[in-house]
Amino acid sequence: PPDTRLLRLVPASSIQVRPVYWLWQDRIAQGTMALLAGREGIGKSILAYTLAADITQGRMPGIYRETPRAVIVAATEDSWAHTIVPRLMAADADLARVFRVDVHTIDGLDVPLSLPIDLPALAAHIRESQTALVLLDPLLSRLDAALDTHKDANVRVALEPLVALGDQTGAAILGLIHLNKSVSTDMLTLLMGSRAFAAVARAVLFAME
């Protein structure tokens, strides 16, 4: 009801301007959300885990150069034992700084990370582990199943709190996303799902042949 809401005006002069710091120089800014898009089998996962490895070793050109930081990974398409850990090893990651995120329910069930419901708990772990990057592989699998990823309003319900999470914790969010089968000269229309994915993300990177 309107009488339960209070509107207030905040003058721009009271807002402290913050500089942009780069997690990956000129590509992914600290505390923002980015997408890494590409066709299946193009190598975007290999690129993502190489970036993760560089962060854990302090090799990433950016704010954490020579300052190793942690990475949190929520992945569903690949096996950790057979694929993800071997990829990280091949990229010379510090495995002690890479964390798989698991969700346990009070009923004793193991379920995947779901957004936006798990964001408060995720934020606490980001701060505790000094995480610089949260990798969602793929992004669409992390969104609540009740949300229609082809509708802008539904996508924003999940992504806008995720953007706020990055801003509040300083961790960059990198979501992997597939391309649809359409043909277009506008690369952003090739992203799977709603156009809101590109609109909400600070940067959209493409892995291409």
Side-chain angles (χ1 to χ4, degrees), residues 36-99:
L36 177 57
R39 303 284 184 193
E40 293 183 12
I42 201 68
K44 60 183 178 296
S45 289
I46 293 175
L47 172 58
Y49 289 110
T50 300
L51 297 177
D54 288 348
I55 290 169
T56 67
Q57 295 286 13
R59 296 189 300 252
M60 179 70 74
I63 189 174
Y64 295 123
R65 179 81 181 199
E66 300 183 359
T67 306
R69 296 296 292 268
V71 175
I72 292 176
V73 179
T76 54
E77 290 188 344
D78 293 313
S79 162
W80 274 80
H82 294 129
T83 305
I84 295 177
V85 172
R87 278 178 179 164
L88 291 166
M89 293 173 66
D92 189 32
D94 179 351
L95 298 182
R97 294 182 184 274
V98 181
F99 297 95

Coordinates of all heavy atoms in Angstrom, one line a residue, residues 36-99:
L36 N 30.2 -13.5 -20.4 CA 31.1 -14.1 -21.4 C 30.3 -15.0 -22.3 O 29.8 -16.1 -21.8 CB 32.2 -14.9 -20.7 CG 33.2 -15.6 -21.6 CD1 33.9 -14.7 -22.6 CD2 34.3 -16.3 -20.8
A37 N 30.1 -14.6 -23.5 CA 29.2 -15.3 -24.4 C 29.9 -16.1 -25.5 O 31.0 -15.7 -25.9 CB 28.2 -14.3 -25.0
G38 N 29.3 -17.1 -26.0 CA 29.9 -17.8 -27.1 C 29.1 -19.1 -27.5 O 28.3 -19.6 -26.7
R39 N 29.3 -19.6 -28.7 CA 28.7 -20.9 -29.1 C 29.2 -22.0 -28.2 O 30.3 -21.9 -27.6 CB 29.0 -21.1 -30.5 CG 28.6 -20.1 -31.5 CD 27.1 -20.0 -31.7 NE 26.7 -19.0 -32.7 CZ 25.5 -18.6 -33.0 NH1 24.5 -19.1 -32.2 NH2 25.2 -17.7 -33.9
E40 N 28.5 -23.1 -28.2 CA 28.9 -24.3 -27.5 C 30.2 -24.8 -28.1 O 30.3 -24.8 -29.3 CB 27.9 -25.4 -27.5 CG 26.6 -25.0 -26.7 CD 25.6 -26.1 -26.6 OE1 25.9 -27.2 -27.1 OE2 24.5 -25.9 -26.2
G41 N 31.2 -25.2 -27.3 CA 32.4 -25.8 -27.8 C 33.4 -24.8 -28.3 O 34.5 -25.2 -28.8
I42 N 33.1 -23.5 -28.1 CA 34.1 -22.4 -28.6 C 35.2 -22.2 -27.7 O 36.3 -21.6 -28.1 CB 33.3 -21.1 -28.8 CG1 34.0 -20.2 -29.8 CG2 33.0 -20.4 -27.5 CD1 34.1 -20.7 -31.2
G43 N 35.1 -22.6 -26.4 CA 36.2 -22.5 -25.5 C 36.0 -21.4 -24.4 O 36.9 -21.0 -23.7
K44 N 34.7 -20.9 -24.2 CA 34.5 -19.9 -23.2 C 34.7 -20.4 -21.8 O 35.2 -19.6 -21.0 CB 33.1 -19.3 -23.4 CG 31.9 -20.2 -23.3 CD 30.6 -19.4 -23.5 CE 29.4 -20.4 -23.4 NZ 29.5 -21.4 -24.5
S45 N 34.4 -21.6 -21.5 CA 34.7 -22.2 -20.2 C 36.2 -22.2 -19.9 O 36.6 -21.9 -18.8 CB 34.0 -23.5 -20.0 OG 32.6 -23.4 -20.0
I46 N 36.9 -22.7 -20.9 CA 38.4 -22.7 -20.7 C 39.0 -21.3 -20.5 O 39.8 -21.1 -19.6 CB 39.1 -23.3 -22.0 CG1 38.7 -24.8 -22.1 CG2 40.6 -23.2 -21.9 CD1 39.2 -25.5 -23.4
L47 N 38.4 -20.3 -21.2 CA 38.9 -19.0 -21.0 C 38.5 -18.5 -19.6 O 39.3 -17.9 -18.8 CB 38.2 -18.0 -22.0 CG 38.4 -16.5 -21.8 CD1 39.9 -16.2 -21.7 CD2 37.7 -15.7 -22.9
A48 N 37.3 -18.8 -19.1 CA 36.8 -18.4 -17.8 C 37.6 -19.0 -16.7 O 38.0 -18.3 -15.7 CB 35.3 -18.8 -17.6
Y49 N 38.0 -20.3 -16.8 CA 38.8 -20.9 -15.8 C 40.2 -20.5 -15.8 O 40.9 -20.5 -14.8 CB 38.6 -22.4 -15.8 CG 37.2 -22.9 -15.4 CD1 36.3 -23.4 -16.3 CD2 36.8 -22.7 -14.1 CE1 35.0 -23.7 -15.9 CE2 35.6 -23.1 -13.7 CZ 34.7 -23.6 -14.6 OH 33.4 -23.9 -14.2
T50 N 40.7 -20.1 -17.0 CA 42.0 -19.5 -17.1 C 42.1 -18.1 -16.3 O 43.0 -17.8 -15.6 CB 42.5 -19.3 -18.5 OG1 42.5 -20.6 -19.2 CG2 43.9 -18.7 -18.6
L51 N 41.0 -17.3 -16.5 CA 40.9 -16.1 -15.8 C 40.9 -16.3 -14.3 O 41.6 -15.6 -13.5 CB 39.7 -15.3 -16.2 CG 39.6 -14.9 -17.7 CD1 38.3 -14.2 -18.0 CD2 40.7 -14.0 -18.1
A52 N 40.1 -17.3 -13.9 CA 40.0 -17.6 -12.5 C 41.4 -18.0 -11.9 O 41.8 -17.6 -10.8 CB 39.0 -18.8 -12.3
A53 N 42.1 -18.9 -12.7 CA 43.4 -19.3 -12.3 C 44.4 -18.1 -12.1 O 45.1 -18.0 -11.1 CB 44.0 -20.3 -13.3
D54 N 44.3 -17.2 -13.0 CA 45.2 -16.0 -13.0 C 44.9 -15.1 -11.7 O 45.8 -14.6 -11.1 CB 45.0 -15.2 -14.2 CG 45.7 -15.8 -15.5 OD1 46.4 -16.8 -15.3 OD2 45.4 -15.3 -16.6
I55 N 43.6 -15.1 -11.4 CA 43.2 -14.3 -10.2 C 43.8 -15.0 -8.9 O 44.3 -14.3 -8.0 CB 41.7 -14.2 -10.1 CG1 41.2 -13.3 -11.2 CG2 41.3 -13.7 -8.7 CD1 39.7 -13.3 -11.4
T56 N 43.7 -16.3 -8.9 CA 44.2 -17.0 -7.7 C 45.7 -16.9 -7.5 O 46.3 -17.1 -6.4 CB 43.8 -18.4 -7.6 OG1 44.5 -19.2 -8.7 CG2 42.3 -18.6 -7.8
Q57 N 46.4 -16.6 -8.6 CA 47.9 -16.6 -8.6 C 48.4 -15.1 -8.6 O 49.6 -14.9 -8.7 CB 48.5 -17.4 -9.7 CG 48.2 -18.9 -9.7 CD 49.1 -19.6 -8.6 OE1 49.7 -18.9 -7.8 NE2 49.1 -20.9 -8.7
G58 N 47.5 -14.1 -8.7 CA 47.9 -12.8 -8.8 C 48.5 -12.4 -10.1 O 49.3 -11.4 -10.2
R59 N 48.1 -13.1 -11.2 CA 48.7 -12.9 -12.5 C 47.8 -12.0 -13.4 O 48.2 -11.5 -14.4 CB 48.9 -14.2 -13.3 CG 49.9 -15.1 -12.7 CD 50.2 -16.2 -13.6 NE 49.0 -17.0 -13.9 CZ 48.8 -18.3 -13.5 NH1 49.7 -18.8 -12.7 NH2 47.7 -18.9 -13.8
M60 N 46.5 -11.7 -12.9 CA 45.6 -11.0 -13.7 C 46.0 -9.5 -13.8 O 46.2 -8.8 -12.8 CB 44.2 -11.1 -13.1 CG 43.1 -10.3 -13.8 SD 42.7 -11.0 -15.4 CE 41.8 -12.4 -14.9
P61 N 46.1 -9.0 -15.0 CA 46.5 -7.5 -15.1 C 45.3 -6.7 -14.7 O 44.2 -6.7 -15.3 CB 46.7 -7.4 -16.6 CG 46.0 -8.5 -17.3 CD 46.0 -9.7 -16.3
G62 N 45.4 -6.0 -13.6 CA 44.4 -5.2 -13.0 C 44.7 -4.9 -11.5 O 45.8 -5.0 -11.1
I63 N 43.6 -4.6 -10.8 CA 43.8 -4.2 -9.4 C 44.5 -5.2 -8.5 O 45.2 -4.9 -7.5 CB 42.5 -3.7 -8.8 CG1 42.7 -3.0 -7.5 CG2 41.5 -4.8 -8.7 CD1 41.4 -2.4 -6.9
Y64 N 44.3 -6.5 -8.8 CA 44.8 -7.6 -7.9 C 46.1 -8.2 -8.5 O 46.5 -9.3 -8.2 CB 43.8 -8.6 -7.7 CG 42.6 -8.1 -6.9 CD1 41.3 -8.2 -7.4 CD2 42.8 -7.5 -5.6 CE1 40.2 -7.7 -6.7 CE2 41.7 -7.0 -4.9 CZ 40.5 -7.1 -5.4 OH 39.4 -6.6 -4.7
R65 N 46.8 -7.5 -9.4 CA 48.0 -8.0 -9.9 C 49.0 -8.1 -8.8 O 49.2 -7.2 -8.0 CB 48.6 -7.0 -10.9 CG 50.0 -7.3 -11.5 CD 49.8 -8.4 -12.6 NE 51.1 -8.7 -13.2 CZ 51.2 -9.3 -14.4 NH1 50.2 -9.5 -15.2 NH2 52.4 -9.6 -14.8
E66 N 49.6 -9.3 -8.6 CA 50.5 -9.7 -7.6 C 49.8 -9.7 -6.2 O 50.5 -9.7 -5.2 CB 51.7 -8.7 -7.5 CG 52.6 -8.7 -8.8 CD 53.8 -7.8 -8.7 OE1 54.0 -7.1 -7.7 OE2 54.5 -7.8 -9.7
T67 N 48.5 -9.8 -6.2 CA 47.7 -10.0 -4.9 C 46.7 -11.1 -5.2 O 45.6 -10.8 -5.6 CB 47.0 -8.7 -4.5 OG1 48.0 -7.6 -4.5 CG2 46.3 -8.8 -3.2
P68 N 47.1 -12.3 -4.9 CA 46.2 -13.4 -5.2 C 44.9 -13.3 -4.4 O 44.9 -12.9 -3.2 CB 47.0 -14.7 -4.7 CG 48.4 -14.2 -4.8 CD 48.4 -12.8 -4.5
R69 N 43.8 -13.6 -5.1 CA 42.5 -13.5 -4.4 C 41.7 -14.8 -4.7 O 42.0 -15.6 -5.6 CB 41.7 -12.3 -4.9 CG 42.3 -11.0 -4.5 CD 42.4 -10.7 -3.0 NE 41.1 -10.6 -2.4 CZ 40.5 -9.4 -2.2 NH1 41.1 -8.3 -2.6 NH2 39.3 -9.3 -1.6
A70 N 40.6 -15.0 -4.0 CA 39.8 -16.2 -4.2 C 38.8 -16.0 -5.3 O 38.4 -14.9 -5.7 CB 39.1 -16.5 -2.9
V71 N 38.3 -17.2 -5.8 CA 37.2 -17.2 -6.8 C 36.2 -18.2 -6.3 O 36.5 -19.3 -5.8 CB 37.8 -17.7 -8.1 CG1 36.7 -17.9 -9.2 CG2 38.9 -16.7 -8.6
I72 N 34.9 -17.9 -6.4 CA 33.8 -18.8 -6.1 C 33.2 -19.2 -7.4 O 32.9 -18.4 -8.3 CB 32.8 -18.1 -5.2 CG1 33.3 -17.8 -3.8 CG2 31.5 -18.9 -5.1 CD1 32.4 -17.1 -2.9
V73 N 32.9 -20.5 -7.6 CA 32.4 -21.0 -8.8 C 31.1 -21.8 -8.6 O 31.0 -22.7 -7.7 CB 33.4 -22.0 -9.5 CG1 32.8 -22.6 -10.8 CG2 34.7 -21.3 -9.8
A74 N 30.1 -21.5 -9.3 CA 28.8 -22.2 -9.3 C 28.7 -22.8 -10.8 O 28.4 -22.1 -11.7 CB 27.6 -21.4 -9.0
A75 N 28.9 -24.1 -10.9 CA 28.9 -24.7 -12.2 C 28.1 -26.0 -12.2 O 28.1 -26.7 -11.2 CB 30.4 -25.1 -12.6
T76 N 27.4 -26.2 -13.3 CA 26.5 -27.4 -13.4 C 26.7 -28.2 -14.6 O 26.4 -29.4 -14.6 CB 25.0 -26.9 -13.4 OG1 24.8 -26.0 -14.4 CG2 24.6 -26.3 -12.0
E77 N 27.3 -27.7 -15.6 CA 27.4 -28.5 -16.9 C 28.5 -29.4 -16.9 O 28.5 -30.4 -17.7 CB 27.4 -27.5 -18.1 CG 26.2 -26.8 -18.4 CD 26.2 -26.0 -19.7 OE1 27.3 -25.7 -20.2 OE2 25.1 -25.6 -20.1
D78 N 29.6 -29.2 -16.1 CA 30.8 -30.0 -16.1 C 31.0 -30.6 -14.8 O 30.7 -30.0 -13.7 CB 32.0 -29.2 -16.6 CG 31.9 -28.7 -18.0 OD1 31.6 -29.6 -18.9 OD2 32.1 -27.5 -18.3
S79 N 31.7 -31.8 -14.8 CA 32.0 -32.4 -13.5 C 33.3 -31.8 -12.9 O 34.2 -31.5 -13.6 CB 32.4 -33.9 -13.8 OG 33.1 -34.5 -12.8
W80 N 33.2 -31.5 -11.6 CA 34.4 -30.9 -10.9 C 35.6 -31.9 -11.0 O 36.7 -31.5 -11.2 CB 34.0 -30.6 -9.5 CG 33.4 -29.2 -9.4 CD1 32.1 -28.9 -9.7 CD2 34.0 -28.0 -9.1 NE1 31.9 -27.5 -9.5 CE2 33.1 -27.0 -9.1 CE3 35.4 -27.7 -8.7 CZ2 33.4 -25.6 -8.8 CZ3 35.7 -26.4 -8.4 CH2 34.7 -25.4 -8.5
A81 N 35.3 -33.1 -10.7 CA 36.4 -34.1 -10.6 C 37.0 -34.4 -12.0 O 38.3 -34.6 -12.1 CB 35.9 -35.4 -10.0
H82 N 36.2 -34.5 -13.0 CA 36.7 -34.9 -14.3 C 37.1 -33.7 -15.2 O 37.9 -33.9 -16.1 CB 35.6 -35.7 -15.0 CG 35.4 -37.1 -14.4 ND1 34.1 -37.5 -14.1 CD2 36.2 -38.0 -14.0 CE1 34.2 -38.7 -13.5 NE2 35.5 -39.0 -13.4
T83 N 36.5 -32.6 -15.0 CA 36.7 -31.5 -16.0 C 37.2 -30.2 -15.3 O 38.2 -29.6 -15.8 CB 35.4 -31.2 -16.8 OG1 34.9 -32.4 -17.4 CG2 35.6 -30.1 -17.8
I84 N 36.5 -29.7 -14.3 CA 36.8 -28.3 -13.8 C 38.1 -28.3 -13.1 O 38.9 -27.4 -13.4 CB 35.6 -27.8 -12.9 CG1 34.3 -27.7 -13.7 CG2 36.0 -26.5 -12.2 CD1 33.1 -27.2 -12.9
V85 N 38.3 -29.2 -12.2 CA 39.6 -29.2 -11.5 C 40.8 -29.5 -12.4 O 41.8 -28.7 -12.3 CB 39.6 -30.2 -10.3 CG1 41.0 -30.3 -9.7 CG2 38.6 -29.7 -9.2
P86 N 40.7 -30.4 -13.3 CA 41.8 -30.6 -14.3 C 42.0 -29.3 -15.1 O 43.2 -29.0 -15.4 CB 41.3 -31.7 -15.2 CG 40.5 -32.5 -14.3 CD 39.7 -31.6 -13.4
R87 N 40.9 -28.6 -15.5 CA 41.1 -27.3 -16.2 C 41.9 -26.3 -15.4 O 42.8 -25.6 -15.9 CB 39.8 -26.7 -16.6 CG 39.2 -27.3 -17.9 CD 37.8 -26.7 -18.2 NE 37.2 -27.2 -19.4 CZ 35.9 -27.1 -19.7 NH1 35.1 -26.5 -18.9 NH2 35.5 -27.7 -20.8
L88 N 41.5 -26.2 -14.1 CA 42.2 -25.3 -13.2 C 43.6 -25.7 -13.0 O 44.5 -24.8 -13.0 CB 41.5 -25.3 -11.9 CG 40.1 -24.6 -11.9 CD1 39.3 -24.9 -10.6 CD2 40.2 -23.1 -12.0
M89 N 43.9 -27.0 -12.9 CA 45.3 -27.4 -12.8 C 46.1 -27.1 -14.0 O 47.3 -26.7 -13.9 CB 45.3 -28.9 -12.5 CG 44.7 -29.3 -11.2 SD 44.5 -31.1 -11.0 CE 46.3 -31.6 -10.9
A90 N 45.5 -27.3 -15.2 CA 46.2 -27.0 -16.4 C 46.5 -25.5 -16.6 O 47.5 -25.1 -17.2 CB 45.3 -27.4 -17.6
A91 N 45.7 -24.7 -15.9 CA 45.9 -23.2 -16.0 C 46.7 -22.8 -14.8 O 46.9 -21.5 -14.6 CB 44.6 -22.5 -16.0
D92 N 47.3 -23.7 -14.0 CA 48.1 -23.4 -12.9 C 47.4 -22.5 -11.8 O 48.0 -21.6 -11.3 CB 49.4 -22.7 -13.3 CG 50.5 -22.6 -12.2 OD1 50.5 -23.4 -11.3 OD2 51.2 -21.6 -12.2
A93 N 46.2 -22.9 -11.5 CA 45.5 -22.2 -10.4 C 45.9 -22.6 -9.1 O 46.4 -23.7 -8.9 CB 44.0 -22.5 -10.6
D94 N 45.8 -21.7 -8.1 CA 45.9 -22.1 -6.7 C 44.6 -22.7 -6.3 O 43.7 -22.0 -6.0 CB 46.3 -20.9 -5.9 CG 46.5 -21.2 -4.4 OD1 46.1 -22.3 -4.0 OD2 46.9 -20.3 -3.6
L95 N 44.5 -24.0 -6.2 CA 43.2 -24.7 -6.0 C 42.7 -24.4 -4.6 O 41.5 -24.5 -4.4 CB 43.4 -26.2 -6.1 CG 43.8 -26.7 -7.5 CD1 43.9 -28.2 -7.6 CD2 42.9 -26.2 -8.6
A96 N 43.5 -24.0 -3.7 CA 43.0 -23.7 -2.3 C 42.3 -22.4 -2.3 O 41.6 -22.1 -1.4 CB 44.2 -23.6 -1.4
R97 N 42.4 -21.6 -3.4 CA 41.6 -20.3 -3.5 C 40.4 -20.4 -4.4 O 39.8 -19.4 -4.7 CB 42.6 -19.2 -4.0 CG 43.7 -18.9 -3.0 CD 44.6 -17.7 -3.6 NE 45.7 -17.5 -2.7 CZ 45.7 -16.6 -1.7 NH1 44.6 -16.0 -1.4 NH2 46.8 -16.4 -1.0
V98 N 40.1 -21.6 -4.9 CA 38.9 -21.8 -5.8 C 37.9 -22.5 -5.0 O 38.2 -23.6 -4.5 CB 39.3 -22.5 -7.1 CG1 38.0 -22.6 -7.9 CG2 40.3 -21.8 -7.9
F99 N 36.7 -22.0 -4.9 CA 35.7 -22.6 -4.0 C 34.5 -23.0 -4.8 O 33.9 -22.1 -5.5 CB 35.3 -21.7 -2.9 CG 36.4 -21.3 -1.9 CD1 37.1 -20.2 -2.1 CD2 36.7 -22.2 -0.9 CE1 38.1 -19.8 -1.3 CE2 37.7 -21.9 0.0 CZ 38.5 -20.7 -0.2

